[in-house]
Amino acid sequence: YDAILFVPIDINAGAAAVAVAAEAGIPVIGSNTRVNSELLTSYIGSDDVKAGEMQAEAVCKAMGYKGNVVIIEGPIGQSAQIERREGNLNVLKKYPEIKLLEMRTANWSRAEALSLMENWLNAHPGQIHGVIGQNDEMALGAIQAMKAAGIDPKTIPTSGIDGVTDALLAIKSG
């Protein structure tokens, strides 16, 4: 190989693969998610802490800076999950009238987020006032669960990250 474009699943486990490539003289370019290695040739991706802060701030503002919020996380141990959580929590700690009710992973999956949100809606009826989905797929799954429960999704501010086509179309349609 002349080079490797690397999108690691685990921030720590991926370091071993980068070390093997570096030892073989193969440049490794990290893309989209980070890996704990100083051996990358370069990294191309977004600032996930900032993204997490922006989405949490938008939900908090839409909630009037009070109420209960849930966070649907990406795969535990992936850099985007770690950094977006950091950004989410940075914002939530600024607003004492907002309580973090639940925080669990749905592994970037719309189906897993749908199931998780169904469970939360049953466990906390009428008590969820905002949803922070660390990606668009999970936010869309949460919205599906609200609709299935007869809840107007416009009444529970929900955010995602990434700008996937389905999310953009959902925003456009209201």
Side-chain angles (χ1 to χ4, degrees):
Y1 299 99
D2 296 318
I4 297 172
L5 181 61
F6 189 50
V7 183
I9 296 300
D10 187 288
I11 194 167
N12 291 315
V18 174
V20 170
E23 173 114 359
I26 302 169
V28 179
I29 296 99
S31 174
N32 196 42
T33 56
R34 298 184 192 282
V35 64
N36 280 339
S37 175
E38 298 298 319
L39 300 175
L40 286 177
T41 305
S42 66
Y43 171 76
I44 303 163
S46 62
D47 181 338
D48 283 312
V49 174
K50 183 69 175 168
E53 289 172 346
M54 291 171 67
Q55 78 167 156
E57 188 64 46
V59 169
C60 291
K61 181 179 180 182
M63 291 171 53
Y65 302 102
K66 62 181 181 236
N68 299 320
V69 69
V70 295
I71 298 176
I72 307 174
E73 297 189 278
I76 303 302
Q78 189 182 43
S79 69
Q81 173 269 326
I82 293 166
E83 293 175 5
R84 289 174 186 179
R85 175 199 280 184
E86 179 183 340
N88 296 158
L89 297 178
N90 286 347
V91 169
L92 292 180
K93 66 184 168 191
K94 294 185 335 186
Y95 303 113
E97 292 189 55
I98 295 181
K99 178 183 175 195
L100 178 57
L101 201 57
E102 297 274 3
M103 181 168 60
R104 295 224 165 82
T105 185
N107 297 302
W108 306 137
S109 164
R110 188 182 305 195
E112 285 186 43
L114 168 65
S115 176
L116 185 61
M117 190 67 182
E118 286 174 337
N119 291 337
W120 287 346
L121 290 169
N122 286 325
H124 308 286
Q127 297 175 37
I128 298 173
H129 307 113
V131 177
I132 298 170
Q134 291 183 344
N135 82 344
D136 289 342
E137 285 296 320
M138 296 185 304
L140 290 166
I143 289 168
Q144 268 185 278
M146 289 177 219
K147 288 178 178 177
I151 298 168
D152 180 355
K154 293 178 185 176
T155 64
I156 301 177
T158 302
S159 68
I161 294 175
D162 291 330
V164 300
T165 301
D166 284 352
L168 298 175
L169 291 172
I171 291 166
K172 187 176 182 179
S173 70

